[in-house]
Amino acid sequence: MNILKNYINGEWVDSVSGETLDVINPATMEVLAKVPTGDKTASDVERAVACAHEAYLAWKDLPVLKRIQPLFKLKYLLEQHTDELAATITMESGKTLAESKGEIQRAIENVEVASAAPMLLQSEFLENVATGIDEYMIRQALGVTACIAPFNFPAMISFWFLPYAIACGNSMVVKPSEKVPLTMMKIFELIDQLDIPKGLLNMVHGGKASVDAILDHPDIKSVSFVGSTPVARYVYSRAAASGKRVQAQGGAKNPVVVLPDADIEMTSQIISDSVYGCAGQRCLAASVVITVDDNKKIREALYESSKARSVGYGLNQGVEMGPVITRESKSRIEGLIAQGEKEGGAVLLDGRSATIKGYEQGNFIRPTIIENLPLEGELLKTEIFGPVMSLLHMKTVEDAIAYINRGKFGNMACLFTSSGASARKFRNQAMAGNVGINIGVAAPMAQFPFSGWKDSFFGDLHGQSRHAIEFFTQTKVVIERWPKEWTRKF
Ligand code: NAD
């Protein structure tokens, strides 16, 4: 069985660790590869950082116009290899082929935005800040940066950071999720074709030991993390304690509110797509649906659209939802549904014990709806990260906003309505960093920051767009005076 290699200093090299984990296709349970793991992967990180530091020293002084050239080739290569990358994403993560292609498109868009670095890096200049004195600010690279990714978007998430990091003059060490390392292997085969210094972009496998080595390494200047809230909080504090700049995106529990004046058919379809897309394993998946006032029609429509969703292996045509990532995930999610019942929720649609013909061993759960969970119960506060909709009913939009704002997460909140006034109130008052109006997955495009709030984000500058440019540079302010006699009078 193939033991995956690391990509360090422009070469594919074996991990020093002898320990491995199986990479498993969650639909077929086939073992696809073995990924290095265990404590010794810390030495792999050490080696990658040493090379990345050397590469950064030369790279930072190249003109930015030269630094963005490889991004154009990277965009081209990602486009050329979309089908093959998408198939790999589906095989290791379980999502459908259409979903996999969608995430590659989102990755490419970040490459495009980062290639605007010559404009985005321009800064401020104030002539005569005092008599004969000028002051200006320049942005300079940080050094070696690191990115630690979760399993649910094996391609896209590293691209919220990677293209910006190198456009700004940094080098990077990428640590993909040990559950889905194959996509990033394929992406690094493309990166290997770029005309960039050896060591500029490196990939190291592993789990906690690799992460801890990144968090503690004195030559790593910044950490971009995406994953669950407990790990995000840990990464944020440990990396900050070693003096690093950190952006750590965490988990979510995303509410969507449906007002009686919403278009029922469109709304139920969009909400189902949001709840069950990627089998609910999206940080922007709608998870709590709150219907306001008259709910009979929307409740029926949501039930029908949930029930109709076709579940199966994502590589097969017509499949709308794949399995969840691991066996442990499946039993955790099914356990949470049972907990919901114990707390007093009514299971309107039960997707537990799903068997898919031809994929009987796969980690499948069908769409599930639990109704009327107690507002202060545990389940409504817990990220399920599976294809489960919690359906609540409230009297007014104000009640819904108040409920949303009491929640500990703040990744996304959405409203469905045809009233401009309600939309405006919601947009203004909902305490979440990404807000959708008649949108089910309010994912910021690459031109905007991915703005989680509260326990969904630790840090201040987010991924993507201008925020990424600011995150990957440090400002230097220069104040300068030239003696009067040296300046020519006109
Ligand atoms: P995870 O937190 O288990 O793992 C994320 C990364 O951290 C992986 O690379 C993993 O190797 C590493 N890791 C795991 N446990 C660790 C530990 N104890 N110490 C150090 N490192 C550790 O997350 P996951 O299960 O891969 O991904 C799902 C989670 O990510 C969900 O909570 C989801 O909401 C969240 N997510 C958030 C966003 C966002 O933008 N806010 C986007 C995608 C996913």
Side-chain angles (χ1 to χ4, degrees), residues 148-153 156-157 160 175-179 206-212 215 225-232 234-235 248-252 281-284 325 383 385 411 434 450 452 456-457:
I148 301 162
F151 80 81
N152 63 330
F153 283 91
M156 175 187 77
I157 282 178
W160 291 346
K175 207 245 11 116
S177 163
E178 63 276 39
K179 291 178 186 140
K208 182 170 168 49
S210 300
V211 171
D212 286 349
L215 303 181
F225 171 88
V226 181
S228 58
T229 289
V231 184
Y234 165 77
V235 164
Q249 301 186 203
Q281 300 168 116
R282 261 193 305 207
C283 65
L284 293 181
I325 188 71
E383 181 180 38
F385 221 55
N411 223 26
N434 302 297
F450 199 106
S456 298
F457 180 71

Coordinates of all heavy atoms in Angstrom, one line a residue, residues 148-153 156-157 160 175-179 206-212 215 225-232 234-235 248-252 281-284 325 383 385 411 434 450 452 456-457, ligand 1:
I148 N -3.1 25.0 8.2 CA -3.6 23.7 8.7 C -5.0 23.6 8.3 O -5.9 24.4 8.7 CB -3.4 23.7 10.3 CG1 -2.0 23.9 10.7 CG2 -3.9 22.3 10.8 CD1 -1.8 24.3 12.1
A149 N -5.4 22.5 7.6 CA -6.7 22.4 7.0 C -7.5 21.3 7.6 O -7.0 20.3 8.1 CB -6.5 22.2 5.5
P150 N -8.9 21.5 7.4 CA -9.8 20.4 7.9 C -10.1 19.4 6.8 O -9.6 19.6 5.6 CB -11.1 21.2 8.2 CG -11.1 22.3 7.2 CD -9.6 22.6 6.9
F151 N -11.0 18.4 7.0 CA -11.2 17.4 6.0 C -12.3 17.8 5.0 O -12.3 17.2 3.9 CB -11.7 16.1 6.7 CG -13.1 16.1 7.1 CD1 -14.1 15.8 6.2 CD2 -13.5 16.4 8.4 CE1 -15.5 15.8 6.6 CE2 -14.8 16.4 8.8 CZ -15.8 16.1 7.9
N152 N -13.1 18.8 5.3 CA -14.4 18.9 4.5 C -14.2 19.6 3.2 O -15.1 19.5 2.3 CB -15.5 19.5 5.3 CG -15.2 20.9 5.8 OD1 -14.1 21.3 6.0 ND2 -16.3 21.7 5.9
F153 N -13.1 20.4 3.0 CA -12.8 20.9 1.7 C -11.3 20.7 1.4 O -10.5 21.6 1.6 CB -13.2 22.4 1.7 CG -14.6 22.7 1.5 CD1 -15.4 22.9 2.7 CD2 -15.2 22.8 0.3 CE1 -16.8 23.1 2.6 CE2 -16.6 23.0 0.2 CZ -17.4 23.2 1.3
M156 N -10.1 23.5 -1.5 CA -10.4 24.9 -1.4 C -9.8 25.6 -0.2 O -9.3 26.8 -0.4 CB -11.9 25.1 -1.4 CG -12.4 26.6 -1.2 SD -14.1 26.7 -1.0 CE -14.3 26.2 0.7
I157 N -9.8 25.0 0.9 CA -9.6 25.8 2.1 C -8.1 26.3 2.2 O -7.9 27.5 2.5 CB -10.0 25.1 3.4 CG1 -11.5 25.2 3.5 CG2 -9.3 25.6 4.7 CD1 -12.1 24.5 4.7
W160 N -7.6 29.7 0.6 CA -8.0 31.0 1.2 C -6.8 31.7 1.7 O -6.8 32.9 2.0 CB -8.9 30.7 2.5 CG -10.3 30.2 2.1 CD1 -10.9 30.2 0.9 CD2 -11.2 29.6 3.1 NE1 -12.1 29.6 1.1 CE2 -12.4 29.3 2.3 CE3 -11.2 29.3 4.4 CZ2 -13.5 28.7 3.0 CZ3 -12.3 28.8 5.0 CH2 -13.4 28.4 4.3
K175 N -0.3 21.8 5.9 CA -0.6 20.5 6.6 C -2.1 20.2 6.3 O -3.0 20.7 6.9 CB -0.4 20.6 8.1 CG 0.0 19.2 8.6 CD -0.9 18.5 9.6 CE -2.2 18.8 10.0 NZ -3.2 17.7 9.6
P176 N -2.3 19.3 5.3 CA -3.7 18.9 5.0 C -4.2 18.0 6.1 O -3.5 17.5 6.9 CB -3.5 18.1 3.7 CG -2.1 17.7 3.6 CD -1.3 18.6 4.5
S177 N -5.5 17.8 6.1 CA -6.1 16.9 7.0 C -5.7 15.5 6.7 O -5.6 15.1 5.6 CB -7.7 17.0 6.9 OG -8.2 15.8 7.5
E178 N -5.3 14.8 7.8 CA -4.9 13.4 7.6 C -6.0 12.5 7.1 O -5.8 11.4 6.6 CB -4.3 12.8 8.9 CG -5.3 12.7 10.1 CD -5.4 14.0 10.9 OE1 -5.5 15.1 10.3 OE2 -5.5 13.9 12.1
K179 N -7.3 13.0 7.1 CA -8.4 12.2 6.6 C -8.5 12.3 5.1 O -9.0 11.4 4.5 CB -9.7 12.6 7.3 CG -9.8 12.3 8.7 CD -11.1 12.9 9.3 CE -11.1 12.7 10.8 NZ -11.7 13.8 11.5
G206 N 0.4 14.5 8.6 CA 0.4 14.2 10.0 C -0.9 14.8 10.7 O -1.7 15.4 10.1
G207 N -0.9 14.5 12.0 CA -2.0 15.0 12.8 C -1.5 16.0 13.9 O -0.8 16.9 13.6
K208 N -1.9 15.7 15.1 CA -1.6 16.6 16.2 C -0.1 17.0 16.4 O 0.3 18.1 16.6 CB -2.1 16.1 17.5 CG -1.9 17.0 18.7 CD -2.6 16.5 19.9 CE -2.2 17.2 21.2 NZ -2.2 18.7 21.1
A209 N 0.8 16.0 16.2 CA 2.2 16.2 16.4 C 2.7 17.2 15.3 O 3.5 18.1 15.7 CB 3.0 14.9 16.3
S210 N 2.3 17.1 14.1 CA 2.7 18.1 13.0 C 2.2 19.4 13.4 O 2.9 20.5 13.2 CB 2.2 17.7 11.7 OG 2.6 16.4 11.3
V211 N 0.9 19.5 13.8 CA 0.3 20.8 14.2 C 1.1 21.4 15.3 O 1.5 22.6 15.2 CB -1.2 20.6 14.6 CG1 -1.8 21.9 15.1 CG2 -2.0 20.1 13.4
D212 N 1.4 20.7 16.4 CA 2.1 21.2 17.5 C 3.5 21.7 17.1 O 3.9 22.8 17.6 CB 2.2 20.2 18.6 CG 0.9 20.0 19.4 OD1 -0.1 20.8 19.1 OD2 0.7 19.0 20.1
L215 N 2.9 25.0 15.5 CA 2.5 26.1 16.5 C 3.7 26.6 17.3 O 3.8 27.8 17.7 CB 1.5 25.6 17.4 CG 0.2 25.0 16.8 CD1 -0.8 24.6 17.8 CD2 -0.5 26.1 15.9
F225 N -5.5 28.6 10.3 CA -6.1 27.3 10.7 C -7.6 27.3 10.4 O -8.3 28.3 10.6 CB -5.9 27.1 12.2 CG -6.7 25.9 12.7 CD1 -6.2 24.6 12.7 CD2 -8.0 26.0 13.2 CE1 -6.9 23.5 13.1 CE2 -8.8 24.9 13.6 CZ -8.2 23.6 13.6
V226 N -8.1 26.2 9.9 CA -9.5 26.0 9.8 C -9.9 24.6 10.3 O -9.2 23.6 9.9 CB -10.0 26.1 8.3 CG1 -11.5 25.9 8.2 CG2 -9.6 27.5 7.7
G227 N -10.9 24.5 11.2 CA -11.3 23.2 11.8 C -12.3 23.4 12.8 O -13.1 24.4 12.8
S228 N -12.4 22.5 13.7 CA -13.4 22.6 14.8 C -13.1 23.6 15.8 O -11.9 24.0 16.0 CB -13.6 21.2 15.4 OG -12.3 20.8 16.0
T229 N -14.1 24.1 16.5 CA -13.9 25.2 17.5 C -12.9 24.8 18.6 O -12.0 25.6 18.9 CB -15.2 25.7 18.1 OG1 -15.9 26.4 17.0 CG2 -15.0 26.6 19.3
P230 N -13.0 23.6 19.2 CA -12.0 23.3 20.3 C -10.6 23.4 19.8 O -9.7 23.9 20.5 CB -12.4 21.9 20.8 CG -13.8 21.7 20.3 CD -14.0 22.6 19.1
V231 N -10.3 22.8 18.6 CA -9.0 22.8 18.1 C -8.6 24.3 17.6 O -7.4 24.7 17.8 CB -8.8 21.8 16.9 CG1 -7.3 21.8 16.5 CG2 -9.2 20.4 17.4
A232 N -9.5 25.0 17.1 CA -9.2 26.4 16.7 C -8.8 27.2 17.9 O -7.8 28.0 17.8 CB -10.5 27.0 16.0
Y234 N -7.5 26.1 20.6 CA -6.2 25.6 21.1 C -5.1 26.2 20.2 O -4.1 26.7 20.7 CB -6.2 24.1 21.0 CG -4.9 23.4 21.1 CD1 -4.2 23.2 22.3 CD2 -4.3 22.9 19.9 CE1 -3.0 22.6 22.4 CE2 -3.1 22.2 20.0 CZ -2.5 22.1 21.2 OH -1.2 21.4 21.3
V235 N -5.3 26.1 18.9 CA -4.3 26.6 17.9 C -4.1 28.1 18.1 O -2.9 28.6 18.1 CB -4.8 26.3 16.5 CG1 -4.0 27.1 15.4 CG2 -4.7 24.8 16.2
A248 N -7.8 31.7 13.1 CA -8.3 30.3 13.4 C -9.8 30.3 13.2 O -10.5 30.8 14.0 CB -7.8 29.9 14.8
Q249 N -10.2 29.6 12.1 CA -11.7 29.5 11.9 C -12.2 28.2 12.5 O -11.6 27.2 12.3 CB -11.9 29.5 10.4 CG -11.4 30.8 9.7 CD -11.7 30.9 8.2 OE1 -11.0 31.7 7.6 NE2 -12.7 30.3 7.8
G250 N -13.3 28.4 13.2 CA -13.8 27.2 13.9 C -15.1 26.7 13.4 O -15.5 27.0 12.3
G251 N -15.9 26.0 14.3 CA -17.1 25.4 13.9 C -18.3 26.3 13.8 O -18.2 27.5 13.9
A252 N -19.5 25.7 13.7 CA -20.7 26.6 13.4 C -21.9 25.8 13.8 O -21.9 24.6 14.0 CB -20.7 26.9 12.0
Q281 N -21.7 18.5 6.0 CA -20.3 18.7 6.5 C -19.7 20.0 5.9 O -18.7 19.9 5.2 CB -19.5 17.5 6.2 CG -20.0 16.2 6.8 CD -19.3 15.0 6.3 OE1 -18.7 14.3 7.0 NE2 -19.5 14.8 5.0
R282 N -20.4 21.1 6.1 CA -19.9 22.4 5.6 C -20.1 23.3 6.8 O -21.1 23.3 7.5 CB -20.9 22.9 4.5 CG -20.3 22.6 3.2 CD -21.1 23.4 2.1 NE -22.5 23.2 2.1 CZ -23.3 23.3 1.0 NH1 -22.7 23.6 -0.1 NH2 -24.6 23.2 1.1
C283 N -19.1 24.2 7.0 CA -19.2 25.1 8.1 C -20.2 26.2 7.8 O -20.6 26.9 8.7 CB -17.8 25.8 8.3 SG -17.4 26.8 6.9
L284 N -20.7 26.2 6.6 CA -21.8 27.2 6.3 C -23.1 26.4 5.9 O -24.0 26.9 5.3 CB -21.5 28.1 5.1 CG -20.3 29.1 5.4 CD1 -20.1 30.0 4.2 CD2 -20.7 30.0 6.6
I325 N -17.9 11.5 6.7 CA -16.5 11.1 6.5 C -16.0 9.8 7.1 O -15.2 9.1 6.5 CB -15.6 12.3 6.9 CG1 -14.1 12.1 6.5 CG2 -15.7 12.6 8.4 CD1 -13.8 12.3 5.1
E383 N -22.6 21.5 17.4 CA -22.4 21.4 15.9 C -22.6 19.9 15.6 O -21.8 19.0 16.1 CB -21.1 21.9 15.5 CG -20.8 21.8 14.0 CD -19.5 22.3 13.6 OE1 -18.5 22.0 14.3 OE2 -19.4 22.9 12.5
F385 N -22.7 18.6 12.3 CA -21.8 18.4 11.1 C -22.2 17.1 10.4 O -21.4 16.2 10.1 CB -20.4 18.3 11.5 CG -19.5 19.0 10.5 CD1 -19.7 20.4 10.2 CD2 -18.4 18.4 9.9 CE1 -18.9 21.0 9.3 CE2 -17.5 19.1 9.0 CZ -17.8 20.4 8.7
N411 N -21.0 31.9 12.6 CA -20.5 31.8 11.2 C -21.4 32.3 10.2 O -21.0 33.1 9.3 CB -20.1 30.3 10.9 CG -18.8 30.2 10.2 OD1 -17.9 31.0 10.4 ND2 -18.7 29.1 9.4
N434 N -21.3 36.2 8.5 CA -21.7 36.0 7.1 C -23.2 35.9 7.1 O -23.7 35.0 7.7 CB -21.1 34.7 6.5 CG -19.5 34.7 6.6 OD1 -18.9 35.5 6.0 ND2 -19.0 33.8 7.4
F450 N -13.7 35.9 4.6 CA -14.6 34.8 5.2 C -14.8 35.1 6.6 O -14.0 34.7 7.5 CB -13.9 33.5 5.0 CG -14.9 32.3 5.1 CD1 -15.3 31.7 3.9 CD2 -15.4 32.0 6.3 CE1 -16.2 30.6 4.0 CE2 -16.3 30.9 6.4 CZ -16.7 30.2 5.2
G452 N -16.2 34.8 9.9 CA -16.8 34.2 11.1 C -16.7 35.1 12.3 O -15.8 35.9 12.4
S456 N -16.9 31.0 16.1 CA -16.5 30.5 14.8 C -15.2 31.1 14.3 O -14.8 30.7 13.2 CB -17.7 30.8 13.8 OG -18.8 30.2 14.2
F457 N -14.6 32.0 15.0 CA -13.4 32.6 14.5 C -12.6 33.2 15.7 O -13.1 33.9 16.5 CB -13.7 33.7 13.5 CG -12.4 34.3 13.0 CD1 -11.6 33.6 12.1 CD2 -12.1 35.6 13.3 CE1 -10.4 34.2 11.6 CE2 -10.9 36.2 12.8 CZ -10.1 35.5 12.0
Ligands
NAD1 P1 -10.5 19.2 13.2 O1 -10.5 20.4 14.1 O2 -10.7 17.9 13.8 O3 -9.2 19.1 12.4 C1 -8.7 20.3 11.7 C2 -7.1 20.2 11.6 O4 -6.6 20.2 12.9 C3 -6.6 18.9 10.9 O5 -5.6 19.2 10.1 C4 -6.2 18.0 12.1 O6 -5.1 17.2 11.8 C5 -5.8 19.0 13.2 N1 -6.1 18.6 14.5 C6 -7.2 17.8 14.9 N2 -7.2 17.6 16.2 C7 -6.1 18.3 16.7 C8 -5.5 18.5 18.0 N3 -6.1 17.9 19.1 N4 -4.4 19.2 18.1 C9 -3.8 19.8 17.1 N5 -4.3 19.6 15.8 C10 -5.4 18.9 15.6 O7 -11.7 19.5 12.1 P2 -12.2 18.6 11.0 O8 -13.1 17.5 11.6 O9 -11.2 18.2 10.1 O10 -13.2 19.6 10.2 C11 -14.5 19.9 10.6 C12 -14.6 21.1 11.4 O11 -14.1 22.2 10.7 C13 -16.0 21.5 11.7 O12 -16.1 21.9 13.0 C14 -16.3 22.7 10.7 O13 -17.3 23.6 11.1 C15 -15.0 23.3 10.7 N6 -14.8 24.2 9.5 C16 -14.9 25.5 9.7 C17 -14.7 26.3 8.6 C18 -14.8 27.8 8.7 O14 -14.6 28.5 7.8 N7 -15.1 28.3 9.9 C19 -14.6 25.8 7.3 C20 -14.5 24.4 7.2 C21 -14.6 23.6 8.3

